[in-house]
Amino acid sequence: MTASPRKNKELQRAAQDSPSASAIPLADIHCAAMVDNISDALIISDESGHIRYCNRATQAIFGYSSEELIGKGLRVLLPEPYYSDPDGLRRYSDDYEANVFQRGEFTRRTDGAEIPIERRVSRVVIDGKPHSVHVIRDVTLRHKLQHMGNEFLAAAAHELRSPMASIYGFSELLMQRRFSEGRQTELLGIIYNQAAHMTRLINELLDLARIEARGERAFTMKQQPVEPIVRATVAGFLIPPERAAVYVTCEPDLPQVNADTDKMQQALTNILSNAYKYSPAGGPVELQARADAKRERVFITVADRGIGMPEGVSTRIFERFYRGEDSAAIRGTGLGMTLVKEIVDHHGGHVEIESRAGKGTRVTIVLPAARGV
Amino acid sequence: MRRRKVLLVEDDESMRELIRLTLEPLRLNLSEAANVSEAWTLLETQRPDTVLVDVSLERLRDGLDLCRQIKQSIELGDTRVIVISTASQFEDIERGHAAGADLYIVKPFSPAHLLAVIGTHRA
């Protein structure tokens, strides 16, 4: 059973009303104020494992009010099977010493949910008797982020395995068998294309990783006009063979924006690339830049008359490695729009998609106009 | 002796080409399906001895379901099913075998290995 973030917030709000209780008089009032302000739970237990003190944060993490916990055994905080075992506390200590908890420690909340925690214990002497001081931190969020990171890593590795299978397989065949020269050239061409695909995938993975690792610092923002960015992108864009050039319309006198020139060009390039790729039967690709009447936002739209997307797909295109059901024939990394979203989000903007299956797609980057322009 | 029939279920064009080329020396009766529904049509019309199905991550469930349904079918239950996948963890291989796969091959694979595996089936 996993804890929900909403439940955590509810508990935290309720904890505001429940001060820490104590069977030990705290002589220094400053100490109590400090301890009640930390977000980690602080619990003091005696030799027999009974709770004698807990701070305000304890309720947020465990769900018990502080008064409820005073006098109770530590066992009420332990996860199953220790919770239900009369000898649970001793078994838990033994297992902890024996390094049984590979996944880390968990605690059991009043509602039965198990929360991943980090715990530190130290011994103190109070009233001449040994006590234990436990500091406990809820690490749910950290675990979730780590899990998401691991999933991404695994997904990336799988994506790389597929083109690698072609490269590995065709190389082996070329080495072990004899083919006509024409056939050899053809197979080498396949190896080459797969290697190029892997290169694109690796580059996009690194771009994504860099943005995620460095956040805002990955971007060099500068106030600048929109039109030069658009023109530079189109000028540098390699039109696929036998296709017409991008048809560009820029409204005159567009408000300026705060943008990282290179990253914005990269985002626009990815969108243009998709526009051509997903209109294999041909047709025009148009790019329009305009502002709203109040000059508060700039809209850059790329439109194609290609295969479009069926209902419900347009929200999924930002998912990593998502390529759509009908497009198995069209080779993409599945990361192009993921990158676009990351870049546009960091510009304070968002991306809008309009698409109808069989009719075409319009992708619009919406950016806030720079203030004072 | 009749030619052995193999059905390949694979959505990636270059993978299809690789496997087709790999199996060429066996002179099989090889049919190809790009997805599971095409596969069923060919299964019924061709009645292959062996089905080779790629269970890449997006279509993992479809591929394993296909395997399971073939093995549970009265008419097709004797068909040998070989699964190819990028998923290589112990649990993935277990899942493949639990679905009834006779063999589980991890991508990237050696064409020589695939050739040996397909080539040694007694029709």
Side-chain angles (χ1 to χ4, degrees):
Chain A
M1 217 166 137
T2 49
S4 74
R6 209 181 51 160
K7 184 76 181 166
N8 280 338
K9 287 211 179 77
E10 283 171 34
L11 289 173
Q12 271 163 3
R13 252 178 260 129
Q16 301 300 335
D17 303 321
S18 168
S20 57
S22 175
I24 309 163
L26 283 169
D28 187 345
I29 202 162
H30 294 307
C31 175
M34 265 193 319
V35 150
D36 270 340
N37 268 322
I38 62 176
S39 48
D40 294 338
L42 199 142
I43 297 176
I44 303 180
S45 58
D46 62 20
E47 267 179 305
S48 61
H50 288 90
I51 296 170
R52 299 200 67 202
Y53 169 83
C54 51
N55 71 346
R56 184 183 292 184
T58 305
Q59 176 163 343
I61 296 179
F62 299 99
Y64 295 93
S65 72
S66 314
E67 286 90 9
E68 281 179 293
L69 281 178
I70 301 295
K72 289 238 173 36
L74 282 171
R75 181 160 63 91
V76 305
L77 303 176
L78 298 179
E80 296 290 8
Y82 309 96
Y83 177 78
S84 303
D85 180 349
D87 201 23
L89 184 59
R90 192 192 55 78
R91 276 186 56 204
Y92 189 89
S93 299
D94 289 347
D95 287 348
Y96 181 75
E97 293 302 320
N99 234 341
V100 158
F101 304 125
Q102 297 296 337
R103 281 192 315 144
E105 291 189 82
F106 284 75
T107 187
R108 184 190 179 283
R109 224 168 41 181
T110 49
D111 60 1
E114 293 196 354
I115 320 257
I117 54 154
E118 255 180 20
R119 182 175 65 100
R120 276 189 188 61
V121 190
S122 41
R123 310 271 178 250
V124 292
V125 173
I126 299 175
D127 295 340
K129 299 202 189 77
H131 286 69
S132 295
V133 178
H134 311 258
V135 178
I136 297 170
R137 175 170 298 181
D138 177 348
V139 293
T140 308
L141 184 58
R142 190 199 308 168
H143 274 216
K144 193 197 289 193
L145 287 176
Q146 197 162 357
H147 179 69
M148 278 169 54
N150 290 342
E151 272 193 354
F152 182 34
L153 203 56
H158 280 289
E159 286 297 315
L160 288 170
R161 269 186 159 157
S162 285
M164 183 52 87
S166 289
I167 295 173
Y168 186 86
F170 283 114
S171 311
E172 188 187 288
L173 286 177
L174 279 165
M175 287 190 290
Q176 290 180 352
R177 297 189 195 171
R178 289 178 50 209
F179 294 101
S180 69
E181 214 176 292
R183 202 68 160 111
Q184 274 181 43
T185 310
E186 195 191 319
L187 299 184
L188 285 167
I190 297 179
I191 293 176
Y192 182 84
N193 286 335
Q194 294 294 323
H197 178 77
M198 275 184 87
T199 308
R200 275 192 297 275
L201 191 52
I202 289 168
N203 287 336
E204 283 178 354
L205 283 169
L206 284 172
D207 283 340
L208 262 180
R210 216 171 285 133
I211 292 178
E212 283 179 21
R214 302 182 59 207
E216 294 305 316
R217 288 166 305 170
F219 292 80
T220 320
M221 303 297 253
K222 209 176 66 167
Q223 185 170 315
Q224 55 186 304
V226 172
E227 187 160 343
I229 301 179
V230 165
R231 299 271 174 208
T233 307
V234 172
F237 185 78
L238 202 59
I239 313 281
E242 289 169 43
R243 295 294 297 269
V246 184
Y247 189 69
V248 181
T249 346
C250 276
E251 257 180 19
D253 196 31
L254 286 168
Q256 293 197 347
V257 294
N258 282 313
D260 176 312
T261 318
D262 286 343
K263 296 259 184 336
M264 191 47 66
Q265 281 192 23
Q266 189 178 4
L268 276 172
T269 302
N270 282 5
I271 298 174
L272 281 174
S273 178
N274 280 350
Y276 279 98
K277 210 188 312 173
Y278 293 98
S279 55
V285 170
E286 297 161 302
L287 192 158
Q288 238 182 44
R290 60 179 185 85
D292 63 346
K294 290 203 253 177
R295 292 175 63 77
E296 283 171 348
R297 293 181 300 175
V298 174
F299 303 84
I300 307 173
T301 303
V302 175
D304 67 68
R305 312 242 183 101
I307 62 177
M309 299 177 236
E311 285 269 347
V313 168
S314 58
T315 41
R316 298 199 60 191
I317 62 172
F318 301 113
E319 283 173 29
R320 290 162 182 170
F321 308 121
Y322 182 79
R323 266 182 300 248
E325 315 297 313
D326 301 321
S327 53
I330 298 177
R331 211 53 199 289
T333 56
L335 289 177
M337 289 310 284
T338 313
L339 260 168
V340 168
K341 182 172 194 306
E342 285 287 314
I343 291 172
V344 174
D345 281 353
H346 274 95
H347 279 73
H350 65 274
V351 181
E352 291 175 1
I353 315 275
E354 296 161 64
S355 187
R356 292 244 316 268
K359 297 283 193 208
T361 302
R362 296 170 60 85
V363 178
T364 304
I365 296 181
V366 183
L367 294 174
R371 300 253 191 93
V373 177
Chain B
M1 193 174 75
R2 71 171 176 89
R3 286 165 69 202
R4 267 171 293 152
K5 289 195 218 162
V6 173
L7 169 63
L8 168 62
V9 186
E10 168 63 70
D11 63 343
D12 183 302
E13 169 66 59
S14 32
M15 250 315 107
R16 278 203 299 275
E17 164 101 42
L18 175 63
I19 294 174
R20 194 188 307 141
L21 198 55
T22 300
L23 300 179
E24 217 172 68
L26 293 176
R27 298 180 184 286
L28 303 163
N29 181 338
L30 178 69
S31 35
E32 299 174 20
N35 56 55
V36 165
S37 47
E38 279 180 33
W40 276 112
T41 313
L42 287 169
L43 268 164
E44 276 153 30
T45 54
Q46 298 283 321
R47 299 295 168 102
D49 310 296
T50 299
V51 176
L52 194 50
V53 49
D54 186 336
V55 297
S56 58
L57 231 48
E58 306 97 61
R59 295 168 221 279
L60 181 85
R61 214 175 305 134
D62 291 346
L64 290 180
D65 280 346
L66 176 67
C67 177
R68 207 170 284 124
Q69 283 164 37
I70 293 173
K71 286 299 191 178
Q72 290 170 357
S73 140
I74 297 172
E75 294 159 343
L76 302 167
D78 285 336
T79 314
R80 183 171 65 151
V81 179
I82 298 175
V83 150
I84 304 180
S85 177
T86 55
S88 62
Q89 294 302 302
F90 184 68
E91 307 91 66
D92 304 312
I93 301 178
E94 273 204 322
R95 208 179 306 138
H97 283 124
D102 294 289
L103 208 62
Y104 190 105
I105 297 179
V106 176
K107 280 202 283 195
F109 57 85
S110 155
H113 175 63
L114 183 65
L115 186 61
V117 158
I118 303 273
T120 55
H121 188 218
R122 289 181 200 79

